[in-house]
Amino acid sequence: MRKRTAAAVVLIAASLVAATAAARSVHSTAPKEVTAPTKLTVWAGWSAGHELKVFKAVVAEYDRKHPEVTINVVGGIDDNKIVAAIRSGTAPDVVSSFNSYNVGNYCGSGGWIDLAPLMKKDNIDASMFPSAPRYYTQYEGKRCALPLLADDYGLYYNKKLFKAAGITHPPKTLSELAADAKKLTVRDKSGNIKIAGFDPVVGFYENTPDRWIQAFGAKWLNAKGNSAIGSDPGWAKWAKWMKSLIDWYGYDKLVRFQAQPIDEFTPSQAFETGKLAMNFDGEWRVAFIHNEHPDLDYGTAPMPVDDAHPDLYGSGYINGTIIGIPRGVKHQDQAWALVKYLTTADHPLAVLSNGLRNVPTTQSSLNSKEIVPDAHFSTFLKIFAHPKSGTSPILASGQAYTNSVQRFFQQWQAGKVKDLNAGLKNLAKQLDAQVAQAKGGGGVP
Amino acid sequence: MSQQVVAGTAGATAPAVLLRTAARRRADWRRRRLVLLLMSPWILGFSVFFGYPLVMSAYLSFNHYDLLSSPRWVGWANYHYLLRVDPQTWVAVRNTVWIICVAVPLQVLFAFGIAMLLARAKSGAGFFRTVFYLPALAPPVAATLGFVYILNPATGPLNTILGKLGIQGPLWFQSPHWSKPALVGLGLWGIGNTMVIFLAAVLDVPQHLYESAELDGAGPLQRLRWVTLPSVSPVILFAVVLGVIQGLQYFTQAYVAASIASGQASQAGDTLNALGYPEDSTLFYPVLLYQHGFNDFQMGYASSMAMLLLLVSFAVTLVIVLNSRKWVHQAVPR
Amino acid sequence: MLAVANHSLLIAAAIAFLAPFGFIVLTSLMTTNQALSAHLWPHPFRLRNFIDVFTTAPLWRWTLNTMLYSCLATIGVLVSSVPVAYALARLRWRGRDFAFLVVLIALMLPPQVSVVPLYVMWAKLHLVGTLWPLIIPNWLGDAFSIFLLRQFFLTIPEDYLDAARVDGCGELRILFTVVTRLAKPAIAAVALFSFLYTFNDFFLPLLYVGENSHNWVLSIGLAQFRSLHQVQWNLTMAATLLVMAPVIVLFFLAQRAFVEGVTLTGVKG
């Protein structure tokens, strides 16, 4: 009995080990021939609907023209995965991320390699990229990323609902926005929101502090490089504006409205289905609406701005996808060739722009004849080119600072902060401490 | 082994004694070698997976380390930031304390209560026992997903049913006030393991103790207090210790619930602010540790958090174990 | 009277316990749109969901990975914990009580305490992204299993072992033949618990294979399922059911072992 069980255990163990080995060998690379193409892996953030398909198609085109490489595209990547992969030494050949917040970490730690020598070798000058993307792909002079199409943000409004409410043009100032939102809101019998005119809750869809603060022209950092959240009056002004509108709706009512199945990157998104009359969104929404709800009667306009700063109207917040090469990559030359192609050649940028409706990130591709004109999308091209458009700072604390700021305003909008000014000053101190700690210090400077 | 020694001692002469000592030493050596052989997996395992990490954690907690560059010594800076500056630390501590102080007593009470009901059941005890045990088998991720769906404020079955009864259901995982209670509910659903142990203990109580209590004029409540409870007190202690240990490690359900619920409410796509959703109400200490160590680039800082957790776990288990004799009625030998 | 109240409470509790399962099953049979609405009953019944789950997500690969992890880990736990428990229970040696205390301490330690340096170690060994950091520690003893087995071994009467010794059996042979046979229920319980624990494990797989979707286990895949298929709650619930199913089936097949095992932990623990 015991011999049999022992033998059985050994057999099971052996077969399992064999199965693992077999499984692994099935997944291992092709037999090593001299002429085998180099395998490259590209990680990208796109995953929703049409977006990953568009990117894969562009990469496939490059793949066909370059038989010496075969490229595998993996979508749905976020920064956590990139960080984990770099740290465990299993990073792919090319990585891209949807936002620039971690550039400080990537460049500062060398997690993404310095691209400057590669650019110099191929005579690529950073000035071919517009100023905002040029800024958010480097940190303290070290350029470890290049921009791969940019995003900017503006106002989407439902023309049918506007007509029904008698509103003739999209709001230009924030007070107009609040007034229009109230006019457009429809509630049901129990007071719950059926159609929301506008949802200003931080954390909903694309509502984040860095995108909003553009409308007030408020600064993130003062001249010394410390946080200006406690000192620049724009922050408090936005906070008060946002809270007054939220209080008009009732914070709980808005949360309940948001709890419906109106997920952002699905066809049931609230603006696309007419549940939300006006929405603050990125330029990519044009493509989503085109693919999912082409009959929607809507318009696009720049984001309304602070009544006291009418000169800011027409500008917006800019950020975008960045792409780079992780440390320790084996096929650096081929990886760089692909990165160079994607970021500097007009053709892929134009195709991606048409498919994703993102903004091309070189001066020449912006004017490329391949770009299919679109009335809705052209608003965003204008916002991108506006001199007052801006982006958020790249800090050593990476995405942690955006999380902290967002967390503070989420507590504020829920009514948990009693003294706004004291809270903002405290937040500024925390952000500075965060930066110091990220740099390897640890306390309040 | 003892037999050999005993056999050797009887009627010994001097050279026999020497032989015996040598034999005994050889036996001792063989025994030690055997013990070493048998204990070797654990010795190795403990050194590599407990001893080494503890020492290394302590070391890393005094460094700034992001795994991309080498560790940089910062002294007490991490601890200072943890205890004085990080606004989320005390939120996480409070949440963990809350879940331990609320969930553990509730779970013990609930498990004991159901066990009592089952013990008294005349018919269908086996069926009911299966019903109550089944949810404990559900993998935590699956159970959490199920609960987040069922407790969806807008379209979930629970709020739909409540709506039919005229009650507007709360926002559950979308509300900072209801998210932890919802997690406690999830924990109570999975009470099966503890319940089965209580059941065994309750059924084990000798019938004659009840009978003599009844003869003394004790009513049902008094029988519970003076017969049942003391008899199951070891199990109560076991459940409390287990509950506290689990509470200090509470991660999976909070992580999954927060990420699903926040994605549902359309969190702005790129910032990964989901952990602790909503408003840090589900931010427990292990969750925060994970966030700092593996989402931000702060492994040294996470190590300082780990050291604090170690201290607290140690202190708590020490308190419970030292006081166990006071609280647990020593089983009367039968 | 009391019996009736008892019974009605039991029924009420049973309904409360079964209701979540009921809702999950019902939702898994709904269409996508129905799952998004406030309907409680599927209309029509869409059994296809269970097939669709397999095409929308690599459920088979996740299952294979989970089986690999759980089976290899369980075998490892048994192989490494039985000798240790035996040494702690039935052999007398200096430092034995201290060693047992160490086992108890390891039992109480939250895994988060050791997770950072271990991750660093596995990263330096280039094993992050594989299942090995999950499997290997189980081959070097598991505190809970050692504890359980030791408690059980203590109850084995010395007479059995002495009889075997008189017959000339070496200690190792005693262990492998007599003790393991006598301790079958405890060993079965340990195997069951190890399997369940690794099957349900989320934290460690999240850490080590989270970024390599090729090696995802069921718990990770299920947690990520919703983010990949946001609107499709019906498929998510179908996937949830499929993940719960093996464990529940295992329970019904090995019911006695289960209950005995659980009781063992509480009574001897």
Side-chain angles (χ1 to χ4, degrees):
Chain A
M1 182 63 204
R2 347 171 254 286
K3 285 220 189 84
R4 256 190 282 149
T5 29
V9 169
V10 170
L11 207 67
I12 295 172
S15 51
L16 281 167
V17 172
T20 340
R24 226 174 313 136
S25 65
V26 165
H27 292 297
S28 69
T29 49
K32 296 195 194 331
E33 298 168 53
V34 182
T35 52
T38 324
K39 285 187 119 206
L40 292 182
T41 313
V42 177
W43 278 11
W46 290 290
S47 63
H50 56 278
E51 294 197 317
L52 185 60
K53 277 197 220 111
V54 171
F55 183 67
K56 276 189 169 166
V58 170
V59 173
E61 209 189 321
Y62 177 90
D63 203 345
R64 279 194 297 274
K65 287 207 216 100
H66 293 82
E68 75 276 11
V69 290
T70 57
I71 309 174
N72 177 35
V73 176
V74 179
I77 297 296
D78 58 44
D79 278 332
N80 291 344
K81 295 200 179 98
I82 296 177
V83 168
I86 296 178
R87 286 196 282 180
S88 59
T90 54
D93 302 281
V94 175
V95 273
S96 79
S97 169
F98 272 160
N99 63 69
S100 60
Y101 298 118
N102 282 316
V103 167
N105 281 308
Y106 292 141
C107 295
S109 63
W112 290 19
I113 65 173
D114 191 3
L115 297 174
L118 292 167
M119 288 168 70
K120 205 162 141 188
K121 199 164 45 103
D122 289 344
N123 286 321
I124 297 178
D125 196 313
S127 63
M128 72 185 292
F129 306 109
S131 61
R134 199 169 53 220
Y135 167 75
Y136 63 66
T137 45
Q138 56 78 46
Y139 176 66
E140 290 184 347
K142 250 214 250 180
R143 171 166 297 285
C144 64
L146 287 179
L148 181 64
L149 301 160
D151 303 315
D152 58 2
Y153 298 77
L155 186 75
Y156 286 74
Y157 61 99
N158 188 316
K159 283 193 176 152
K160 196 166 105 187
L161 292 173
F162 262 43
K163 261 189 278 225
I167 306 175
T168 49
H169 62 269
K172 288 211 174 81
T173 66
L174 288 172
S175 43
E176 280 175 27
L177 176 62
D180 287 348
K182 292 177 190 170
K183 250 189 267 174
L184 289 159
T185 302
V186 175
R187 294 187 208 249
D188 69 11
K189 287 187 298 278
S190 35
N192 289 326
I193 304 170
K194 226 168 78 165
I195 298 179
F198 185 79
D199 186 336
V201 169
V202 169
F204 175 72
Y205 286 172
E206 297 298 315
N207 287 345
T208 65
D210 19 17
R211 298 186 187 128
W212 269 104
I213 208 58
Q214 257 308 117
F216 289 83
K219 288 209 186 340
W220 280 93
L221 303 172
N222 59 22
K224 274 192 286 199
N226 290 334
S227 174
I229 286 184
S231 44
D232 192 313
W235 291 95
K237 222 169 161 202
W238 168 55
K240 290 203 192 97
W241 176 87
M242 173 245 291
K243 186 111 185 354
S244 73
L245 186 57
I246 289 178
D247 288 342
W248 181 85
Y249 277 105
Y251 177 68
D252 284 337
K253 295 265 183 326
L254 280 171
V255 176
R256 201 170 280 276
F257 172 76
Q258 289 165 189
Q260 296 172 82
I262 48 174
D263 291 22
E264 190 179 359
F265 291 105
T266 65
S268 44
Q269 196 252 16
F271 179 77
E272 293 187 32
T273 50
K275 292 203 185 78
L276 189 60
M278 295 185 285
N279 190 28
F280 181 39
D281 211 340
E283 84 297 351
W284 64 77
R285 183 61 52 190
V286 173
F288 276 90
I289 297 177
H290 176 81
N291 287 322
E292 293 164 359
H293 295 269
D295 301 326
L296 186 68
D297 184 13
Y298 75 106
T300 57
M303 197 52 195
V305 293
D306 185 16
D307 296 51
H309 292 281
D311 50 302
L312 285 173
Y313 187 72
S315 72
Y317 175 79
I318 300 176
N319 208 306
T321 309
I322 59 175
I323 189 167
I325 302 173
R327 182 169 75 169
V329 160
K330 280 192 271 282
H331 314 291
Q332 193 177 289
D333 292 331
Q334 285 100 325
W336 168 242
L338 177 61
V339 170
K340 191 175 62 163
Y341 171 74
L342 287 173
T343 55
T344 59
D346 280 358
H347 176 70
L349 286 170
V351 173
L352 282 171
S353 173
N354 287 334
L356 301 171
R357 284 306 175 192
N358 287 6
V359 180
T361 34
T362 59
Q363 318 281 22
S364 71
S365 61
L366 270 165
N367 300 317
S368 162
K369 287 198 233 351
E370 282 189 66
I371 306 249
V372 176
D374 179 291
H376 294 126
F377 187 64
S378 61
T379 314
F380 294 98
L381 289 172
K382 288 199 211 96
I383 296 174
F384 188 71
H386 197 280
K388 292 226 162 83
S389 292
T391 182
S392 22
I394 310 285
L395 297 178
S397 39
Q399 68 187 32
Y401 88 85
T402 49
N403 288 345
S404 296
V405 175
Q406 186 161 333
R407 236 181 51 251
F408 173 80
F409 285 106
Q410 280 176 318
Q411 285 174 323
W412 160 252
Q413 70 194 4
K416 302 253 170 71
V417 177
K418 298 288 174 273
D419 185 342
L420 177 64
N421 287 316
L424 284 171
K425 283 203 181 42
N426 202 23
L427 178 64
K429 266 216 304 258
Q430 275 168 14
L431 292 179
D432 289 334
Q434 231 174 27
V435 171
Q437 204 241 1
K439 288 196 174 144
V444 183
Chain B
M1 197 121 26
S2 45
Q3 282 179 319
Q4 296 162 321
V5 176
V6 165
T9 339
T13 54
V17 172
L18 279 167
L19 257 167
R20 211 180 44 239
T21 330
R24 196 181 340 179
R25 249 182 287 142
R26 256 205 317 274
D28 275 348
W29 190 76
R30 242 185 298 138
R31 186 173 44 149
R32 234 170 273 149
R33 199 182 53 178
L34 176 68
V35 168
L36 212 64
L37 177 68
L38 291 177
M39 292 290 292
S40 55
W42 175 244
I43 294 175
L44 192 62
F46 182 81
S47 324
V48 175
F49 295 108
F50 284 106
Y52 161 74
L54 277 173
V55 171
M56 201 56 186
S57 255
Y59 167 68
L60 283 177
S61 68
F62 294 106
N63 283 276
H64 178 265
Y65 188 44
D66 59 8
L67 232 182
L68 291 172
S69 1
S70 38
R72 189 177 34 198
W73 186 265
V74 289
W76 291 101
N78 285 333
Y79 289 99
H80 175 90
Y81 191 84
L82 175 68
L83 296 168
R84 300 296 220 87
V85 184
D86 193 338
Q88 290 183 301
T89 307
W90 295 109
V91 175
V93 168
R94 268 200 303 271
N95 282 336
T96 301
V97 169
W98 191 97
I99 203 90
I100 293 178
C101 294
V102 171
V104 174
L106 272 177
Q107 283 177 347
V108 171
L109 257 154
F110 204 61
F112 180 61
I114 303 239
M116 288 296 290
L117 284 178
L118 272 177
R120 296 245 187 77
K122 298 287 185 292
S123 57
F127 165 74
F128 281 114
R129 193 186 61 189
T130 308
V131 166
F132 293 126
Y133 188 68
L134 229 49
L137 292 172
V141 174
T144 311
L145 259 180
F147 255 65
V148 173
Y149 172 74
I150 293 172
L151 265 49
N152 181 312
T155 56
L158 182 61
N159 273 11
T160 310
I161 293 180
L162 285 176
K164 291 203 164 70
L165 296 173
I167 311 169
Q168 190 178 55
L171 295 169
W172 299 116
F173 286 110
Q174 306 289 344
S175 159
H177 305 292
W178 288 95
S179 53
K180 283 200 283 288
L183 286 174
V184 172
L186 175 61
L188 286 177
W189 189 52
I191 208 69
N193 278 310
T194 319
M195 187 270 301
V196 165
I197 298 175
F198 267 115
L199 183 63
V202 167
L203 288 175
D204 240 9
V205 177
Q207 192 60 24
H208 68 82
L209 286 177
Y210 285 121
E211 285 162 8
S212 43
E214 221 173 344
L215 281 171
D216 285 344
L221 266 168
Q222 282 162 316
R223 282 203 298 272
L224 180 75
R225 165 93 178 77
W226 294 107
V227 179
T228 320
L229 277 181
S231 305
V232 303
S233 51
V235 180
I236 296 182
L237 177 69
F238 171 77
V240 168
V241 171
L242 202 68
V244 171
I245 294 177
Q246 284 174 341
L248 288 169
Q249 308 176 355
Y250 195 66
F251 179 84
T252 301
Q253 289 88 337
Y255 181 97
V256 174
S259 36
I260 305 293
S262 66
Q264 200 174 291
S266 335
Q267 190 77 352
D270 27 358
T271 48
L272 301 157
N273 213 8
L275 292 185
Y277 184 84
E279 290 171 38
D280 285 351
S281 59
T282 57
L283 190 72
F284 298 97
Y285 197 84
V287 177
L288 184 62
L289 201 157
Y290 172 82
Q291 181 182 300
H292 281 310
F294 298 92
N295 282 1
D296 311 335
F297 284 67
Q298 308 270 21
M299 295 204 125
Y301 183 58
S303 298
S304 63
M305 290 190 76
M307 287 288 107
L308 192 63
L309 182 62
L310 175 65
L311 230 82
V312 171
S313 314
F314 204 63
V316 166
T317 41
L318 210 69
V319 164
I320 294 180
V321 166
L322 284 179
N323 281 306
S324 65
R325 224 153 280 183
K326 225 194 310 167
W327 296 331
V328 172
H329 171 88
Q330 292 305 320
V332 178
R334 272 180 268 149
Chain C
M1 183 59 219
L2 206 66
V4 170
N6 199 62
H7 217 76
S8 22
L9 270 175
L10 262 181
I11 295 180
I15 294 178
F17 267 70
L18 282 177
F21 280 122
F23 289 132
I24 293 176
V25 169
L26 286 177
T27 311
S28 65
L29 293 168
M30 287 186 189
T31 60
T32 304
N33 289 323
Q34 269 210 309
L36 288 175
S37 64
H39 286 113
L40 289 174
W41 193 262
H43 197 320
F45 276 74
R46 196 162 184 273
L47 278 164
R48 246 198 83 100
N49 286 339
F50 289 97
I51 303 175
D52 286 344
V53 173
F54 286 99
T55 50
T56 44
L59 219 64
W60 285 124
R61 177 136 37 95
W62 297 343
T63 310
L64 180 67
N65 290 331
T66 312
M67 285 300 128
L68 260 170
Y69 171 36
S70 292
C71 293
L72 286 177
T74 303
I75 296 174
V77 163
L78 287 175
V79 163
S80 59
S81 303
V82 169
V84 177
Y86 183 70
L88 285 173
R90 303 238 67 111
L91 297 179
R92 249 172 293 138
W93 43 284
R94 213 176 12 182
R96 187 182 70 167
D97 290 333
F98 175 72
F100 185 57
L101 191 66
V102 167
V103 171
L104 284 179
I105 293 178
L107 209 53
M108 319 257 199
L109 225 59
Q112 286 86 6
V113 171
S114 45
V115 85
V116 170
L118 282 178
Y119 184 88
V120 172
M121 176 183 90
W122 291 116
K124 296 237 151 88
L125 291 170
H126 293 291
L127 285 175
V128 173
T130 69
L131 291 170
W132 294 115
L134 302 170
I135 297 174
I136 293 178
N138 288 293
W139 283 80
L140 294 176
D142 168 59
F144 182 72
S145 311
I146 293 174
F147 173 74
L148 202 65
L149 287 168
R150 181 247 188 202
Q151 300 296 91
F152 191 85
F153 285 164
L154 280 177
T155 66
I156 297 181
E158 188 75 24
D159 307 337
Y160 280 116
L161 305 176
D162 286 343
R165 285 193 195 111
V166 164
D167 283 346
C169 276
E171 286 299 323
L172 279 176
R173 258 192 89 196
I174 295 180
L175 172 63
F176 285 129
T177 58
V178 179
V179 175
T180 38
R181 192 156 19 115
L182 288 171
K184 257 209 284 213
I187 290 182
V190 164
L192 212 56
F193 284 135
S194 289
F195 184 82
L196 271 181
Y197 180 78
T198 50
F199 187 86
N200 294 344
D201 198 5
F202 178 74
F203 178 59
L204 289 180
L206 177 71
L207 225 54
Y208 289 118
V209 299
E211 101 250 8
N212 183 2
S213 60
H214 197 264
N215 278 336
W216 277 358
V217 292
L218 280 170
S219 49
I220 308 266
L222 191 60
Q224 298 283 16
F225 192 92
R226 168 125 173 86
S227 66
L228 296 172
H229 304 280
Q230 283 180 318
V231 190
Q232 294 168 293
W233 270 116
N234 55 340
L235 290 185
T236 311
M237 287 298 110
T240 305
L241 262 182
L242 287 172
V243 171
M244 286 191 195
V247 182
I248 295 184
V249 166
L250 185 64
F251 169 73
F252 279 112
L253 290 177
Q255 220 180 83
R256 194 147 34 112
F258 251 97
V259 179
E260 264 176 30
V262 173
T263 320
L264 216 71
T265 53
V267 174
K268 308 277 183 173

